[in-house]
Amino acid sequence: MGITVAPLPCLVVGDAGQRLASDLRPALLKRLLKQFTRSADHGLVVVDRLERYVQRGAAALSLERRPGKLADLVRLSLAHPLLAGRNVAAQLGLTISGAGKLLERASSLGMLVEVSGRTTWRAYVSADLAVTLGLVAPVRGRPRLAATDAKPVREILASFDDEMHAISAKLTKLEIAPMFEIDEFRA
């Protein structure tokens, strides 16, 4: 059928009864294909969760003035779902104390969740994984909108008009005729 041409992590294990059968056993094949579909759907959910985690991490990093090793920590958390100070220190070349502080910083940004419940030697996982494993309650309600610092369009256009008037005044002072009249663009 060509399903298993390339090995995929979401493939199902074949049934032992199908291995020695002389006929195709359609019911068994149908069950295996349903299991294959469920595994593929679950794989898509996991990929979507990872992509959202990377996007949230990038958004959190873009707001940081001095991100330091946070970007490396986000990449590390994609490969190693459970993080602790000792393994982060070894992977990122930090001291154990520095790795703990980095993990706490990532936790305060909402990128990681502390799941060990201890005051020392804490363990962290991504927020989505903690919800999936039932370690923390999922956030209810609508997601918060990201704060935007965009100026209203009227302010931008008014600022542009003021700058154009200033340029026109300088050109007039230098006795250079402007190529256009500013007032002709006003609506």
Tab-separated table of all heavy atoms in Angstrom, residues 36-91:
chain	number	residue	atom	x	y	z
A	36	PHE	N	-3.431	3.942	12.968
A	36	PHE	CA	-2.491	4.797	12.238
A	36	PHE	C	-3.023	6.228	12.149
A	36	PHE	O	-2.295	7.191	12.376
A	36	PHE	CB	-2.259	4.201	10.847
A	36	PHE	CG	-1.348	5.001	9.980
A	36	PHE	CD1	0.010	5.030	10.222
A	36	PHE	CD2	-1.844	5.709	8.902
A	36	PHE	CE1	0.861	5.755	9.412
A	36	PHE	CE2	-1.002	6.434	8.093
A	36	PHE	CZ	0.351	6.460	8.346
A	37	THR	N	-4.315	6.385	11.864
A	37	THR	CA	-4.937	7.714	11.772
A	37	THR	C	-4.907	8.421	13.117
A	37	THR	O	-4.589	9.611	13.197
A	37	THR	CB	-6.389	7.580	11.267
A	37	THR	OG1	-6.382	6.915	10.013
A	37	THR	CG2	-7.048	8.938	11.122
A	38	ARG	N	-5.242	7.692	14.193
A	38	ARG	CA	-5.204	8.299	15.530
A	38	ARG	C	-3.793	8.744	15.892
A	38	ARG	O	-3.587	9.831	16.445
A	38	ARG	CB	-5.742	7.324	16.574
A	38	ARG	CG	-7.243	7.213	16.595
A	38	ARG	CD	-7.724	6.467	17.842
A	38	ARG	NE	-7.178	5.116	17.918
A	38	ARG	CZ	-7.771	4.025	17.415
A	38	ARG	NH1	-8.907	4.138	16.781
A	38	ARG	NH2	-7.211	2.848	17.540
A	39	SER	N	-2.805	7.922	15.568
A	39	SER	CA	-1.413	8.287	15.862
A	39	SER	C	-0.978	9.506	15.060
A	39	SER	O	-0.288	10.382	15.574
A	39	SER	CB	-0.479	7.120	15.550
A	39	SER	OG	-0.758	6.035	16.381
A	40	ALA	N	-1.386	9.566	13.796
A	40	ALA	CA	-1.039	10.717	12.967
A	40	ALA	C	-1.710	11.984	13.489
A	40	ALA	O	-1.091	13.049	13.533
A	40	ALA	CB	-1.441	10.456	11.519
A	41	ASP	N	-2.984	11.880	13.895
A	41	ASP	CA	-3.683	13.047	14.461
A	41	ASP	C	-3.005	13.522	15.734
A	41	ASP	O	-2.826	14.720	15.949
A	41	ASP	CB	-5.155	12.724	14.739
A	41	ASP	CG	-5.971	12.574	13.461
A	41	ASP	OD1	-5.526	13.067	12.407
A	41	ASP	OD2	-7.056	11.961	13.540
A	42	HIS	N	-2.604	12.584	16.578
A	42	HIS	CA	-1.899	12.953	17.811
A	42	HIS	C	-0.555	13.602	17.476
A	42	HIS	O	-0.157	14.588	18.117
A	42	HIS	CB	-1.687	11.728	18.691
A	42	HIS	CG	-0.897	12.009	19.923
A	42	HIS	ND1	-1.383	12.771	20.967
A	42	HIS	CD2	0.371	11.663	20.267
A	42	HIS	CE1	-0.451	12.880	21.891
A	42	HIS	NE2	0.620	12.215	21.498
A	43	GLY	N	0.136	13.087	16.474
A	43	GLY	CA	1.399	13.686	16.052
A	43	GLY	C	1.218	15.114	15.567
A	43	GLY	O	2.037	15.985	15.855
A	44	LEU	N	0.130	15.378	14.837
A	44	LEU	CA	-0.154	16.746	14.389
A	44	LEU	C	-0.429	17.675	15.563
A	44	LEU	O	-0.022	18.836	15.563
A	44	LEU	CB	-1.330	16.756	13.415
A	44	LEU	CG	-1.055	16.146	12.038
A	44	LEU	CD1	-2.337	16.067	11.225
A	44	LEU	CD2	0.007	16.943	11.310
A	45	VAL	N	-1.122	17.175	16.577
A	45	VAL	CA	-1.384	17.984	17.771
A	45	VAL	C	-0.063	18.322	18.464
A	45	VAL	O	0.156	19.462	18.893
A	45	VAL	CB	-2.345	17.243	18.735
A	45	VAL	CG1	-2.400	17.914	20.091
A	45	VAL	CG2	-3.728	17.152	18.124
A	46	VAL	N	0.831	17.363	18.557
A	46	VAL	CA	2.129	17.595	19.199
A	46	VAL	C	2.946	18.609	18.405
A	46	VAL	O	3.553	19.525	18.974
A	46	VAL	CB	2.898	16.260	19.367
A	46	VAL	CG1	4.330	16.500	19.779
A	46	VAL	CG2	2.188	15.381	20.378
A	47	VAL	N	2.956	18.481	17.080
A	47	VAL	CA	3.705	19.429	16.251
A	47	VAL	C	3.123	20.832	16.399
A	47	VAL	O	3.856	21.820	16.514
A	47	VAL	CB	3.703	18.967	14.775
A	47	VAL	CG1	4.177	20.073	13.845
A	47	VAL	CG2	4.569	17.743	14.608
A	48	ASP	N	1.785	20.935	16.424
A	48	ASP	CA	1.146	22.236	16.610
A	48	ASP	C	1.515	22.834	17.963
A	48	ASP	O	1.811	24.026	18.080
A	48	ASP	CB	-0.373	22.087	16.492
A	48	ASP	CG	-1.091	23.414	16.568
A	48	ASP	OD1	-0.680	24.351	15.842
A	48	ASP	OD2	-2.056	23.525	17.347
A	49	ARG	N	1.551	21.998	19.010
A	49	ARG	CA	1.929	22.473	20.342
A	49	ARG	C	3.368	22.977	20.356
A	49	ARG	O	3.674	24.029	20.925
A	49	ARG	CB	1.752	21.342	21.367
A	49	ARG	CG	2.131	21.725	22.775
A	49	ARG	CD	1.912	20.591	23.752
A	49	ARG	NE	2.594	19.373	23.416
A	49	ARG	CZ	3.873	19.122	23.700
A	49	ARG	NH1	4.612	20.027	24.298
A	49	ARG	NH2	4.424	17.968	23.384
A	50	LEU	N	4.257	22.256	19.693
A	50	LEU	CA	5.657	22.682	19.636
A	50	LEU	C	5.812	23.993	18.872
A	50	LEU	O	6.588	24.867	19.274
A	50	LEU	CB	6.513	21.591	18.989
A	50	LEU	CG	6.724	20.324	19.812
A	50	LEU	CD1	7.422	19.259	18.984
A	50	LEU	CD2	7.482	20.618	21.078
A	51	GLU	N	5.074	24.155	17.783
A	51	GLU	CA	5.156	25.395	17.017
A	51	GLU	C	4.644	26.586	17.833
A	51	GLU	O	5.225	27.660	17.805
A	51	GLU	CB	4.379	25.273	15.710
A	51	GLU	CG	5.069	24.395	14.695
A	51	GLU	CD	4.256	24.197	13.436
A	51	GLU	OE1	3.072	24.588	13.396
A	51	GLU	OE2	4.812	23.632	12.477
A	52	ARG	N	3.555	26.382	18.576
A	52	ARG	CA	3.040	27.465	19.434
A	52	ARG	C	4.040	27.797	20.536
A	52	ARG	O	4.224	28.964	20.885
A	52	ARG	CB	1.699	27.077	20.044
A	52	ARG	CG	0.532	27.235	19.103
A	52	ARG	CD	-0.728	26.983	19.847
A	52	ARG	NE	-0.519	25.733	20.606
A	52	ARG	CZ	-1.443	24.864	20.906
A	52	ARG	NH1	-2.652	25.085	20.601
A	52	ARG	NH2	-1.177	23.768	21.557
A	53	TYR	N	4.703	26.786	21.084
A	53	TYR	CA	5.704	27.012	22.123
A	53	TYR	C	6.861	27.843	21.582
A	53	TYR	O	7.324	28.776	22.231
A	53	TYR	CB	6.207	25.669	22.667
A	53	TYR	CG	7.315	25.807	23.673
A	53	TYR	CD1	7.059	26.322	24.940
A	53	TYR	CD2	8.614	25.443	23.361
A	53	TYR	CE1	8.078	26.460	25.865
A	53	TYR	CE2	9.632	25.573	24.280
A	53	TYR	CZ	9.359	26.076	25.524
A	53	TYR	OH	10.369	26.220	26.429
A	54	VAL	N	7.301	27.518	20.373
A	54	VAL	CA	8.395	28.280	19.756
A	54	VAL	C	7.949	29.723	19.495
A	54	VAL	O	8.711	30.668	19.739
A	54	VAL	CB	8.863	27.592	18.454
A	54	VAL	CG1	9.786	28.487	17.660
A	54	VAL	CG2	9.556	26.280	18.778
A	55	GLN	N	6.722	29.920	19.037
A	55	GLN	CA	6.223	31.272	18.779
A	55	GLN	C	6.123	32.074	20.074
A	55	GLN	O	6.494	33.244	20.120
A	55	GLN	CB	4.865	31.218	18.085
A	55	GLN	CG	4.940	30.754	16.659
A	55	GLN	CD	3.574	30.525	16.043
A	55	GLN	OE1	2.555	30.538	16.726
A	55	GLN	NE2	3.556	30.296	14.742
A	56	ARG	N	5.610	31.436	21.129
A	56	ARG	CA	5.527	32.146	22.418
A	56	ARG	C	6.913	32.462	22.952
A	56	ARG	O	7.149	33.525	23.524
A	56	ARG	CB	4.740	31.320	23.433
A	56	ARG	CG	3.253	31.457	23.303
A	56	ARG	CD	2.519	30.952	24.534
A	56	ARG	NE	3.078	29.774	25.143
A	56	ARG	CZ	2.795	28.521	24.776
A	56	ARG	NH1	1.964	28.292	23.807
A	56	ARG	NH2	3.346	27.502	25.405
A	57	GLY	N	7.838	31.533	22.778
A	57	GLY	CA	9.207	31.780	23.209
A	57	GLY	C	9.842	32.931	22.445
A	57	GLY	O	10.514	33.784	23.022
A	58	ALA	N	9.613	32.968	21.142
A	58	ALA	CA	10.154	34.069	20.335
A	58	ALA	C	9.533	35.400	20.737
A	58	ALA	O	10.222	36.425	20.803
A	58	ALA	CB	9.909	33.802	18.849
A	59	ALA	N	8.223	35.395	21.035
A	59	ALA	CA	7.563	36.629	21.471
A	59	ALA	C	8.123	37.096	22.811
A	59	ALA	O	8.382	38.287	23.014
A	59	ALA	CB	6.065	36.418	21.569
A	60	ALA	N	8.338	36.161	23.736
A	60	ALA	CA	8.894	36.525	25.040
A	60	ALA	C	10.325	37.031	24.895
A	60	ALA	O	10.727	37.994	25.557
A	60	ALA	CB	8.848	35.327	25.987
A	61	LEU	N	11.098	36.411	24.015
A	61	LEU	CA	12.481	36.853	23.800
A	61	LEU	C	12.548	38.224	23.151
A	61	LEU	O	13.447	39.010	23.435
A	61	LEU	CB	13.227	35.847	22.931
A	61	LEU	CG	13.593	34.529	23.612
A	61	LEU	CD1	14.155	33.561	22.595
A	61	LEU	CD2	14.570	34.752	24.734
A	62	SER	N	11.596	38.526	22.278
A	62	SER	CA	11.629	39.826	21.606
A	62	SER	C	11.343	40.968	22.568
A	62	SER	O	11.748	42.100	22.322
A	62	SER	CB	10.620	39.854	20.454
A	62	SER	OG	9.301	39.831	20.958
A	63	LEU	N	10.670	40.687	23.671
A	63	LEU	CA	10.365	41.719	24.659
A	63	LEU	C	11.485	41.912	25.684
A	63	LEU	O	11.483	42.893	26.418
A	63	LEU	CB	9.061	41.385	25.386
A	63	LEU	CG	7.808	41.322	24.509
A	63	LEU	CD1	6.614	40.862	25.321
A	63	LEU	CD2	7.545	42.663	23.860
A	64	GLU	N	12.418	40.980	25.731
A	64	GLU	CA	13.508	41.056	26.693
A	64	GLU	C	14.600	42.003	26.206
A	64	GLU	O	14.983	41.968	25.047
A	64	GLU	CB	14.109	39.671	26.922
A	64	GLU	CG	13.249	38.768	27.742
A	64	GLU	CD	13.106	39.244	29.159
A	64	GLU	OE1	14.120	39.387	29.870
A	64	GLU	OE2	11.955	39.482	29.561
A	65	ARG	N	15.073	42.824	27.100
A	65	ARG	CA	16.150	43.743	26.738
A	65	ARG	C	17.482	43.012	26.599
A	65	ARG	O	18.270	43.289	25.706
A	65	ARG	CB	16.257	44.846	27.796
A	65	ARG	CG	17.025	46.049	27.288
A	65	ARG	CD	17.077	47.160	28.285
A	65	ARG	NE	18.358	47.057	28.961
A	65	ARG	CZ	18.564	47.268	30.247
A	65	ARG	NH1	17.574	47.618	31.010
A	65	ARG	NH2	19.752	47.149	30.776
A	66	ARG	N	17.742	42.084	27.497
A	66	ARG	CA	18.975	41.299	27.457
A	66	ARG	C	18.609	39.817	27.589
A	66	ARG	O	18.598	39.275	28.684
A	66	ARG	CB	19.898	41.729	28.589
A	66	ARG	CG	20.387	43.161	28.415
A	66	ARG	CD	21.171	43.651	29.597
A	66	ARG	NE	22.292	42.785	29.885
A	66	ARG	CZ	22.974	42.805	31.023
A	66	ARG	NH1	22.641	43.670	31.958
A	66	ARG	NH2	23.983	41.999	31.225
A	67	PRO	N	18.324	39.146	26.461
A	67	PRO	CA	17.850	37.763	26.554
A	67	PRO	C	18.910	36.762	27.006
A	67	PRO	O	18.582	35.747	27.592
A	67	PRO	CB	17.369	37.445	25.138
A	67	PRO	CG	18.032	38.427	24.267
A	67	PRO	CD	18.321	39.650	25.104
A	68	GLY	N	20.179	37.036	26.752
A	68	GLY	CA	21.229	36.119	27.194
A	68	GLY	C	21.052	34.726	26.624
A	68	GLY	O	20.925	34.532	25.425
A	69	LYS	N	21.028	33.730	27.494
A	69	LYS	CA	20.941	32.332	27.077
A	69	LYS	C	19.501	31.828	26.977
A	69	LYS	O	19.272	30.628	26.837
A	69	LYS	CB	21.697	31.453	28.074
A	69	LYS	CG	23.184	31.686	28.120
A	69	LYS	CD	23.863	30.750	27.197
A	69	LYS	CE	25.375	30.862	27.369
A	69	LYS	NZ	26.062	29.932	26.510
A	70	LEU	N	18.514	32.731	27.045
A	70	LEU	CA	17.117	32.288	26.980
A	70	LEU	C	16.799	31.603	25.651
A	70	LEU	O	16.059	30.625	25.629
A	70	LEU	CB	16.168	33.464	27.198
A	70	LEU	CG	15.929	33.867	28.644
A	70	LEU	CD1	15.101	35.136	28.716
A	70	LEU	CD2	15.267	32.754	29.418
A	71	ALA	N	17.333	32.108	24.553
A	71	ALA	CA	17.071	31.477	23.249
A	71	ALA	C	17.639	30.054	23.224
A	71	ALA	O	16.985	29.137	22.713
A	71	ALA	CB	17.675	32.311	22.132
A	72	ASP	N	18.808	29.874	23.798
A	72	ASP	CA	19.401	28.532	23.869
A	72	ASP	C	18.549	27.618	24.754
A	72	ASP	O	18.399	26.431	24.467
A	72	ASP	CB	20.824	28.595	24.408
A	72	ASP	CG	21.761	29.353	23.485
A	72	ASP	OD1	21.479	29.406	22.273
A	72	ASP	OD2	22.756	29.904	23.988
A	73	LEU	N	17.996	28.178	25.823
A	73	LEU	CA	17.149	27.394	26.712
A	73	LEU	C	15.865	26.956	26.001
A	73	LEU	O	15.413	25.824	26.186
A	73	LEU	CB	16.816	28.196	27.973
A	73	LEU	CG	15.977	27.467	29.015
A	73	LEU	CD1	16.754	26.284	29.579
A	73	LEU	CD2	15.565	28.408	30.113
A	74	VAL	N	15.283	27.828	25.184
A	74	VAL	CA	14.076	27.454	24.437
A	74	VAL	C	14.390	26.304	23.492
A	74	VAL	O	13.644	25.323	23.409
A	74	VAL	CB	13.505	28.664	23.665
A	74	VAL	CG1	12.422	28.245	22.701
A	74	VAL	CG2	12.963	29.697	24.633
A	75	ARG	N	15.508	26.393	22.772
A	75	ARG	CA	15.896	25.299	21.871
A	75	ARG	C	16.169	24.011	22.650
A	75	ARG	O	15.794	22.919	22.215
A	75	ARG	CB	17.114	25.705	21.056
A	75	ARG	CG	16.794	26.694	19.956
A	75	ARG	CD	17.963	26.887	19.020
A	75	ARG	NE	19.097	27.570	19.632
A	75	ARG	CZ	19.217	28.890	19.693
A	75	ARG	NH1	18.286	29.666	19.191
A	75	ARG	NH2	20.269	29.444	20.261
A	76	LEU	N	16.805	24.141	23.796
A	76	LEU	CA	17.099	22.969	24.617
A	76	LEU	C	15.818	22.323	25.130
A	76	LEU	O	15.702	21.094	25.169
A	76	LEU	CB	18.008	23.362	25.789
A	76	LEU	CG	18.433	22.250	26.731
A	76	LEU	CD1	19.303	21.237	25.994
A	76	LEU	CD2	19.184	22.824	27.914
A	77	SER	N	14.840	23.135	25.503
A	77	SER	CA	13.593	22.581	26.038
A	77	SER	C	12.778	21.853	24.979
A	77	SER	O	11.928	21.036	25.313
A	77	SER	CB	12.759	23.689	26.683
A	77	SER	OG	12.315	24.600	25.712
A	78	LEU	N	13.024	22.132	23.701
A	78	LEU	CA	12.346	21.382	22.643
A	78	LEU	C	12.883	19.959	22.545
A	78	LEU	O	12.142	19.022	22.249
A	78	LEU	CB	12.512	22.096	21.298
A	78	LEU	CG	11.768	23.409	21.145
A	78	LEU	CD1	12.179	24.099	19.863
A	78	LEU	CD2	10.270	23.194	21.192
A	79	ALA	N	14.163	19.790	22.799
A	79	ALA	CA	14.778	18.466	22.710
A	79	ALA	C	14.687	17.690	24.018
A	79	ALA	O	14.610	16.465	24.007
A	79	ALA	CB	16.239	18.601	22.293
A	80	HIS	N	14.719	18.397	25.144
A	80	HIS	CA	14.676	17.765	26.463
A	80	HIS	C	13.471	18.325	27.227
A	80	HIS	O	13.540	19.433	27.750
A	80	HIS	CB	15.961	18.049	27.247
A	80	HIS	CG	17.192	17.592	26.542
A	80	HIS	ND1	17.587	16.277	26.511
A	80	HIS	CD2	18.119	18.263	25.821
A	80	HIS	CE1	18.695	16.158	25.815
A	80	HIS	NE2	19.037	17.351	25.374
A	81	PRO	N	12.389	17.574	27.300
A	81	PRO	CA	11.168	18.138	27.893
A	81	PRO	C	11.261	18.432	29.390
A	81	PRO	O	10.622	19.352	29.865
A	81	PRO	CB	10.110	17.086	27.605
A	81	PRO	CG	10.816	15.872	27.172
A	81	PRO	CD	12.192	16.250	26.766
A	82	LEU	N	12.058	17.686	30.132
A	82	LEU	CA	12.203	17.921	31.569
A	82	LEU	C	13.574	18.539	31.804
A	82	LEU	O	14.600	17.958	31.476
A	82	LEU	CB	12.075	16.609	32.350
A	82	LEU	CG	12.201	16.728	33.862
A	82	LEU	CD1	11.047	17.537	34.432
A	82	LEU	CD2	12.249	15.363	34.499
A	83	LEU	N	13.566	19.732	32.383
A	83	LEU	CA	14.813	20.466	32.607
A	83	LEU	C	15.042	20.696	34.089
A	83	LEU	O	14.114	20.990	34.832
A	83	LEU	CB	14.760	21.821	31.892
A	83	LEU	CG	14.651	21.782	30.373
A	83	LEU	CD1	14.388	23.171	29.837
A	83	LEU	CD2	15.922	21.224	29.780
A	84	ALA	N	16.285	20.579	34.496
A	84	ALA	CA	16.708	20.903	35.851
A	84	ALA	C	18.013	21.670	35.754
A	84	ALA	O	18.672	21.681	34.710
A	84	ALA	CB	16.872	19.632	36.677
A	85	GLY	N	18.383	22.322	36.830
A	85	GLY	CA	19.579	23.150	36.825
A	85	GLY	C	20.834	22.419	36.413
A	85	GLY	O	21.667	22.939	35.671
A	86	ARG	N	20.965	21.191	36.858
A	86	ARG	CA	22.187	20.435	36.584
A	86	ARG	C	22.335	20.113	35.092
A	86	ARG	O	23.396	20.314	34.512
A	86	ARG	CB	22.193	19.151	37.403
A	86	ARG	CG	23.469	18.357	37.235
A	86	ARG	CD	23.562	17.276	38.227
A	86	ARG	NE	23.892	17.888	39.523
A	86	ARG	CZ	24.132	17.217	40.617
A	86	ARG	NH1	24.076	15.918	40.611
A	86	ARG	NH2	24.429	17.829	41.733
A	87	ASN	N	21.254	19.628	34.443
A	87	ASN	CA	21.409	19.283	33.027
A	87	ASN	C	21.453	20.527	32.138
A	87	ASN	O	22.118	20.534	31.111
A	87	ASN	CB	20.346	18.291	32.552
A	87	ASN	CG	18.930	18.805	32.670
A	87	ASN	OD1	18.683	19.859	33.242
A	87	ASN	ND2	17.996	18.047	32.134
A	88	VAL	N	20.788	21.621	32.532
A	88	VAL	CA	20.881	22.872	31.766
A	88	VAL	C	22.301	23.427	31.875
A	88	VAL	O	22.862	23.913	30.892
A	88	VAL	CB	19.836	23.895	32.251
A	88	VAL	CG1	20.092	25.271	31.657
A	88	VAL	CG2	18.444	23.421	31.898
A	89	ALA	N	22.888	23.340	33.062
A	89	ALA	CA	24.253	23.832	33.260
A	89	ALA	C	25.232	23.076	32.364
A	89	ALA	O	26.105	23.677	31.732
A	89	ALA	CB	24.652	23.694	34.728
A	90	ALA	N	25.075	21.767	32.291
A	90	ALA	CA	25.978	20.969	31.466
A	90	ALA	C	25.786	21.257	29.980
A	90	ALA	O	26.755	21.329	29.225
A	90	ALA	CB	25.752	19.484	31.742
A	91	GLN	N	24.544	21.446	29.555
A	91	GLN	CA	24.264	21.656	28.129
A	91	GLN	C	24.650	23.053	27.646
A	91	GLN	O	25.088	23.227	26.517
A	91	GLN	CB	22.775	21.429	27.842
A	91	GLN	CG	22.320	20.002	28.006
A	91	GLN	CD	22.808	19.113	26.884
A	91	GLN	OE1	23.019	19.560	25.775
A	91	GLN	NE2	23.005	17.848	27.187
